[in-house]
Amino acid sequence: MAKKDPVCFCFEVYKEELVEIIKKHKTKTVEEIQKYCQASMGCGSCRSDIEQIIEDELGKS
Ligand code: FES
């Protein structure tokens, strides 16, 4: 998945933005991410993608 790929189509949230939130706020769950953006608060179909991004980012640190 490229950085510029949209992850959440409902709220136009891009991977780049999610990665930044995860790094900056050390978020480990989708619920925590929702404090900073609206990703996955619509249809919810992006949820598993967000979980994957969290996993990838936490695995890097
Ligand atoms: S695509 Fe993210 S809530 Fe619908």
Side-chain angles (χ1 to χ4, degrees):
M1 200 186 285
K3 275 187 184 245
K4 289 274 183 199
D5 282 345
V7 178
C8 178
F9 291 91
C10 292
F11 294 104
E12 280 186 51
V13 182
Y14 290 80
K15 183 177 177 189
E16 204 172 34
E17 193 180 336
L18 293 171
V19 168
E20 240 165 68
I21 291 170
I22 295 164
K23 280 186 186 161
K24 197 169 168 190
H25 304 285
K26 310 262 178 264
T27 51
K28 292 185 174 69
T29 62
V30 176
E31 284 69 26
E32 284 179 287
I33 284 182
Q34 288 170 348
K35 289 182 200 161
Y36 305 101
C37 72
Q38 291 182 297
S40 89
M41 293 176 96
C43 70
S45 69
C46 58
R47 195 184 171 95
S48 59
D49 290 339
I50 298 173
E51 284 168 345
Q52 188 59 55
I53 293 168
I54 294 171
E55 228 173 81
D56 290 350
E57 285 307 309
L58 293 180
K60 281 183 201 167
S61 55

